[in-house]
Amino acid sequence: MTRPQNLCILGATGSIGLNTLDVAARHPQRFRIFALSANERIDELAQLCQRHEPRYAVVAQAAQADALARRVKPGVTEILIGQQGLERIAAHEETDCVMAAIVGAAGLVPTLAAARAGKKLLLANKEALVMAGPIFMHAVRTHHATLLPIDSEHNAVFQCLPDSFRGDLGGHGVRRVLLTASGGPFRNTPLERLRHVTPDEACAHPNWVMGRKISVDSATMMNKALEIIEAHWLFGAAPEQIEVVVHPQSVVHSMVEYADGSVIAQLGNPDMRTPIAHALAYPERIEAGVGALDLFRIGQLDFVAPDFERFPALRLGYRALREGGTSPATLNAANEVAVSAFLDGRLPFLAITAVIEAVMDELGPRPLAGLDDVLGADAAARRQAGMQVGAMTV
Ligand code: NAD
Ligand code: MG
């Protein structure tokens, strides 16, 4: 038997990070926890270090490193700090596989470092791909990284494409990619009520348990907007080849429609351990701790067209993709600022997409030649969104 794969988890204390550890720990002969990172939850990271004994742990600040050092076994876990530490574990020569599960733009540089080091890269951090699509995919191709999608929809699409797929949908007779969406907690909420929804209401997703930022993105459907852009870069799908299908049960995770009329779908319980296990073991299949799908209990699967009036974020997603250049990075950064203001009680729910649209109108698309353009667009959009939030503050 070959040695276990060394696993590096960027964002180990989050929802995806913990689910990854849950799956990996079921297969100690396959995976060794080599490196873990956390931003704020140092207590949780200390517990994870005691349980998994990684070679490296990365924290954001020097003070956290001191606090963690007192709680890990000396000589077992080395503690690194900040962005440099993240890049080091992502690109470390002994790292075999990187789970990119930091939320938001903060994940871009370390995720890109993993791609540039040619790693097996499990991508949950969709924001990195949205911001820097062409640069990211160029790095994956040039350095022969193996990119596997963790987002349940994209993992489903990946599973519905032929094994020989190399980024050319037309060449494989694919007509459309059908991305399913639950519609979030406010699919049927009276529009008048949406003015007053609280962060806790927005984070109470009907089918999935996730971090707070992606939960708000699901409530505005900005999550699906980001996923449209993600599907474009992962599969080479043109905007008109990507259709959003609202499917409230979250059992069909996405579908691929072929030229002969066949539609292939991937189904499963809404549990992120399924796509995580799929990508961890790819091309093999392993136990994920997920129960059998009980179709008799589910009984019925519904599909409805998305409501672009209720969810203007969807329109913004297609707009950013069509505009290209820095537009997706602008959309993403403005969204992060607006969502964080909403979660802090500084911005009403309906103003989230209004802020993003105003920022996109103001900044417009610019050419994207390198990472500096991405980071520049991100910073400009954050400044502009901050001003918009200030003007709209409750
Ligand atoms: P989360 O908020 O639960 O966890 C985020 C992780 O990132 C934590 O470990 C945190 O310490 C780390 N982090 C946050 N800010 C950081 C910073 N500035 N620097 C370094 N580390 C930082 O988020 P999550 O729900 O696990 O989502 C993670 C990513 O996976 C997101 O990009 C999300 O869109 C994507 N995703 C999540 C799910 C899900 O079910 N949770 C599904 C699909 C895709
Ligand atoms: Mg998803």
Side-chain angles (χ1 to χ4, degrees):
M1 175 109 190
T2 49
R3 71 164 174 82
Q5 287 181 38
N6 277 337
L7 189 57
C8 163
I9 305 179
L10 305 172
T13 51
S15 161
I16 294 290
L18 293 173
N19 274 311
T20 305
L21 284 165
D22 179 289
V23 176
R26 293 167 192 271
H27 304 279
Q29 73 292 359
R30 277 181 184 263
F31 307 108
R32 171 180 173 224
I33 308 305
F34 182 70
L36 299 175
S37 90
N39 194 41
E40 282 170 346
R41 295 158 68 173
I42 300 307
D43 279 352
E44 280 94 333
L45 182 61
Q47 284 165 20
L48 295 178
C49 288
Q50 284 156 16
R51 190 172 328 141
H52 299 286
E53 304 196 339
R55 175 94 70 82
Y56 297 100
V58 182
V59 295
Q61 320 271 355
Q64 297 168 324
D66 294 340
L68 185 63
R70 288 192 286 276
R71 302 187 47 189
V72 300
K73 279 192 201 153
V76 173
T77 302
E78 185 180 335
I79 301 170
L80 307 174
I81 300 168
Q83 187 97 323
Q84 275 186 330
L86 292 173
E87 287 185 72
R88 177 145 169 236
I89 60 170
H92 195 289
E93 60 178 8
E94 287 181 59
T95 294
D96 298 304
C97 175
V98 176
M99 167 57 83
I102 291 175
V103 60
L108 173 61
V109 171
T111 304
L112 198 54
R116 287 179 171 156
K119 299 300 182 191
K120 174 175 170 180
L121 176 52
L122 279 43
L123 185 74
N125 181 208
K126 68 191 88 184
E127 296 92 343
L129 189 56
V130 167
M131 294 170 74
I135 295 160
F136 195 89
M137 294 310 289
H138 178 76
V140 167
R141 280 192 297 271
T142 311
H143 301 281
H144 307 289
T146 305
L147 182 61
L148 294 163
I150 292 299
D151 220 341
S152 57
E153 296 78 0
H154 305 72
N155 184 271
V157 170
F158 183 90
Q159 294 196 47
C160 297
L161 287 168
D163 287 343
S164 57
F165 181 74
R166 291 288 176 274
D168 169 24
L169 288 181
H172 287 88
V174 173
R175 204 145 61 186
R176 289 186 304 167
V177 167
L178 307 175
L179 289 183
T180 52
S182 69
F186 304 140
R187 191 170 55 89
N188 294 318
T189 307
L191 284 176
E192 184 48 40
R193 265 282 297 133
L194 287 187
R195 288 180 201 290
H196 310 293
V197 299
T198 64
D200 282 346
E201 286 171 324
C203 288
H205 196 281
N207 305 336
W208 299 94
V209 181
M210 308 181 286
R212 282 172 84 77
K213 189 264 180 183
I214 184 177
S215 296
V216 177
D217 287 351
S218 299
T220 58
M221 287 194 81
M222 180 51 81
N223 183 47
K224 213 50 54 181
L226 300 175
E227 291 183 359
I228 290 165
I229 301 170
E230 185 183 13
H232 168 75
W233 290 114
L234 285 175
F235 308 118
E240 55 280 5
Q241 285 181 299
I242 307 169
E243 175 144 36
V244 174
V245 178
V246 175
H247 165 50
Q249 290 91 356
S250 297
V251 167
V252 176
H253 295 307
S254 277
M255 300 172 260
V256 173
E257 182 188 79
Y258 287 87
D260 61 5
S262 298
V263 176
I264 301 188
Q266 186 259 357
L267 282 71
N269 285 320
D271 187 323
M272 288 308 293
R273 290 177 301 178
T274 296
I276 290 169
H278 168 267
L280 276 174
Y282 181 79
E284 293 171 23
R285 296 274 180 176
I286 56 171
E287 171 64 40
V290 178
L293 183 65
D294 186 346
L295 284 172
F296 300 128
R297 189 185 53 76
I298 296 160
Q300 175 178 334
L301 300 175
D302 297 310
F303 302 99
V304 283
D307 181 344
F308 283 78
E309 297 298 317
R310 175 182 287 265
F311 298 112
L314 284 176
R315 185 168 45 76
L316 296 180
Y318 281 110
R319 171 180 159 185
L321 182 53
R322 289 204 164 94
E323 285 180 353
T326 53
S327 247
T330 301
L331 168 96
N332 178 67
N335 181 54
E336 288 189 25
V337 171
V339 169
S340 144
F342 167 68
L343 285 172
D344 293 348
R346 289 183 283 120
L347 192 72
F349 180 75
L350 289 177
I352 297 174
T353 41
V355 164
I356 300 163
E357 185 158 28
V359 174
M360 289 175 73
D361 289 346
E362 182 67 28
L363 298 181
R366 287 168 165 272
L368 196 162
L371 191 58
D372 286 348
D373 296 329
V374 176
L375 299 176
D378 178 86
R382 280 171 201 274
R383 273 195 305 277
Q384 188 67 32
M387 292 190 301
Q388 294 285 343
V389 168
M392 293 190 197
T393 288
V394 276

